[in-house]
Amino acid sequence: MKKTKKLANRFREIILNGTWIANTNYKDQLENLDWKISVSNIDSINTISILAQHVHYYVNGIKNVFNGGNLEIRDKYSFDFPEIKSQSEWKAFLTKFWEDAENLAEFIEQLPDEKLKQEFVDEKYGTYQRNIDGLIEHSYYHLGQIVLIKKILLTNK
């Protein structure tokens, strides 16, 4: 199997359908979550909604590069999102998240393996391999937070 296909599958596992590493994924944790839980605060920590949008921000930004666009995402904006105010807004966000994740996975899958060693946008960002691996690792980090926040909120409900 091509390296890029394996990477695409690893990415799908964390966002859409896997259970191998964390025994869950974003879709499993968020798909049937009430929007009110997703925007609920625990002290000063980020909400589930903000964390999910944060991960999507990077998925969408990297997808844009794969689609021939510029790298327009910036860390300083990666937590700045309009508040979700209804179940329909939450569902619309999730639909977009799943679609963008699948689109990015398809882009990754279609890359020739040699591209993984090439510079991603600019030398300071490293290679395609490093950026894809970083996105996967970053997503697992925030998934752990989401699982814990959800557990606390649902236990105290």
Side-chain angles (χ1 to χ4, degrees):
M1 181 184 301
K2 284 178 34 178
K3 288 180 185 179
T4 54
K5 175 126 175 101
K6 288 179 185 177
L7 269 177
N9 288 341
R10 282 187 54 225
F11 176 68
R12 282 185 183 103
E13 283 180 356
I14 179 60
I15 306 294
L16 300 170
N17 62 17
T19 57
W20 186 58
I21 300 293
N23 204 34
T24 191
N25 59 68
Y26 279 82
K27 194 169 189 177
D28 184 51
Q29 290 298 309
L30 304 177
E31 187 74 6
N32 296 309
L33 186 66
D34 185 275
W35 76 277
K36 291 176 186 171
I37 298 292
S38 82
V39 299
S40 294
N41 287 312
I42 301 174
D43 298 322
S44 63
I45 65 174
N46 288 309
T47 65
I48 291 170
S49 171
I50 292 294
L51 291 170
Q53 290 176 87
H54 171 76
V55 170
H56 175 256
Y57 179 79
Y58 285 101
V59 168
N60 196 44
I62 291 173
K63 181 188 76 134
N64 188 55
V65 172
F66 276 73
N67 203 26
N70 295 321
L71 183 63
E72 298 170 351
I73 53 177
R74 300 292 177 263
D75 291 344
K76 67 181 177 179
Y77 302 121
S78 68
F79 285 98
D80 297 342
F81 308 104
E83 184 181 343
I84 301 245
K85 296 181 180 176
S86 69
Q87 190 68 29
S88 62
E89 286 182 12
W90 177 239
K91 289 289 185 191
F93 160 70
L94 291 176
T95 298
K96 177 101 173 94
F97 190 7
W98 312 148
E99 287 172 1
D100 287 341
E102 181 54 37
N103 288 154
L104 178 56
E106 289 170 4
F107 279 128
I108 294 168
E109 210 167 45
Q110 293 168 13
L111 286 176
D113 283 347
E114 306 79 53
K115 186 82 171 174
L116 294 174
K117 295 178 185 172
Q118 292 179 9
E119 183 179 284
F120 184 80
V121 180
D122 187 305
E123 184 179 356
K124 68 182 175 184
Y125 297 120
T127 64
Y128 275 80
Q129 175 84 47
R130 181 176 179 172
N131 279 270
I132 296 165
D133 284 338
L135 180 60
I136 292 167
E137 292 164 9
H138 181 235
S139 297
Y140 274 112
Y141 171 76
H142 288 302
L143 179 61
Q145 293 174 319
I146 288 170
V147 169
L148 289 172
I149 293 166
K150 183 177 171 184
K151 189 173 209 168
I152 292 166
L153 290 171
L154 293 176
T155 300
N156 295 330
K157 190 175 173 184

